[in-house]
Amino acid sequence: MLSPSWNILCDFDGTIAVEDVIDSLLDRYGRPGWEILERDWRAGTIGSAVCMAGQVALLDMSHIELQRHLGGLRIDHGFAAFVRATIDHGIPMEIVSDGIDHAIHAILANHGIPRLPTVANHLLQVGEREWNLTSPYSVEGCRSGTCKCARVDAARARGGKTLLIGDGASDFCAADRVDFVFAKNRLIEHCRAAGIPYAPIASFDEALELLPDLIDGRLPPRTVMPLPAANPQELPA
């Protein structure tokens, strides 16, 4: 069954991947100084683009070490089945991440998941143990390496409605622009506080259970509507 009326934008770190990839790399291979950048980002002094570019420049690892590390990272156990369902229903899904493209491709391949359209920061090896990060999907005025709001606009331009699946701060702005949200972790609290309709999920097994209702134009049974809806049986226009 085809359902071209929906587009899915899905975060990676903490949403698909169980842990944040760059954090795990810094813990293992980061030279001193990355913690200062992390502190400044959390304080709002710098944006994530500046923070991550500086942190990646402090990584001290070989390509072999990188691949070995990525091979040990886990993903949500229900994600593969969710991907198959989106393919069966003809729903385009794009990974939209403020993380690292190479890590996303490698981790998904390690778990036997076909390559998905991916928008993320680009990792480049510039020496035997040196790395750079560029942000091809940055937008002027946005402090993130990947502007997720711009990806929402691009999805809207393709037509249909947009579902965001995410878990944290990099998803906050985009959540306010989409038609519906499957929320994990910190994104749940943001949606509640901001009055954004959402369904809380703990895993992609739960997302898979909710998908048929969304496709059929009904609000999933776990939907939280912080603000009253005009018609509780149908999705917002």
Side-chain angles (χ1 to χ4, degrees):
M1 179 177 66
L2 295 179
S3 181
S5 61
W6 281 96
N7 297 283
I8 298 177
L9 304 180
C10 187
D11 175 57
F12 188 77
D13 295 281
T15 301
I16 298 172
V18 173
E19 59 187 309
D20 187 282
V21 175
I22 185 64
D23 285 351
S24 71
L25 288 169
L26 289 166
D27 284 339
R28 188 167 186 178
Y29 299 112
R31 292 192 292 267
W34 70 264
E35 302 96 333
I36 297 173
L37 290 165
E38 187 79 9
R39 181 197 64 198
D40 289 346
W41 170 71
R42 292 187 181 278
T45 306
I46 60 175
S48 65
V50 172
C51 177
M52 286 193 60
Q55 290 178 328
V56 166
L58 291 171
L59 288 172
D60 178 11
M61 64 186 178
S62 68
H63 182 76
I64 292 175
E65 288 171 331
L66 171 62
Q67 294 304 101
R68 186 182 300 124
H69 180 83
L70 296 178
L73 297 184
R74 297 173 297 135
I75 64 170
D76 186 294
H77 57 271
F79 184 65
F82 185 83
V83 171
R84 289 194 294 271
T86 63
I87 294 172
D88 290 344
H89 287 289
I91 304 174
M93 180 165 65
E94 179 178 85
I95 296 176
V96 181
S97 171
D98 209 16
I100 299 172
D101 56 0
H102 176 81
I104 294 169
H105 298 318
I107 292 169
L108 292 182
N110 289 340
H111 289 85
I113 296 173
R115 192 160 179 146
L116 298 169
T118 299
V119 173
N121 298 296
H122 180 60
L123 183 67
L124 178 66
Q125 188 170 11
V126 294
E128 184 177 345
R129 304 184 65 83
E130 297 176 331
W131 303 82
N132 279 352
L133 193 73
T134 60
S135 299
Y137 298 99
S138 63
V139 172
E140 185 176 357
C142 177
R143 302 207 302 170
S144 298
T146 297
C147 181
K148 295 189 178 184
C149 293
R151 300 317 301 171
V152 173
D153 292 342
R156 282 179 172 172
R158 293 193 293 267
K161 296 177 179 179
T162 303
L163 168 69
L164 174 70
I165 308 176
D167 82 304
S170 70
D171 304 303
F172 289 177
C173 183
D176 196 36
R177 295 169 176 251
V178 298
D179 297 284
F180 201 70
V181 178
F182 287 173
K184 285 185 171 185
N185 303 325
R186 292 176 60 200
L187 187 56
I188 292 175
E189 295 304 320
H190 172 77
C191 288
R192 182 180 295 124
I196 298 169
Y198 72 96
I201 60 170
S203 72
F204 276 91
D205 289 335
E206 295 180 1
L208 183 59
E209 293 176 2
L210 300 177
L211 193 61
D213 284 305
L214 204 67
I215 291 171
D216 291 339
R218 299 187 301 271
L219 285 172
R222 297 179 187 172
T223 297
V224 177
M225 298 291 292
L227 296 177
N231 185 343
Q233 299 301 313
E234 296 182 0
L235 288 166

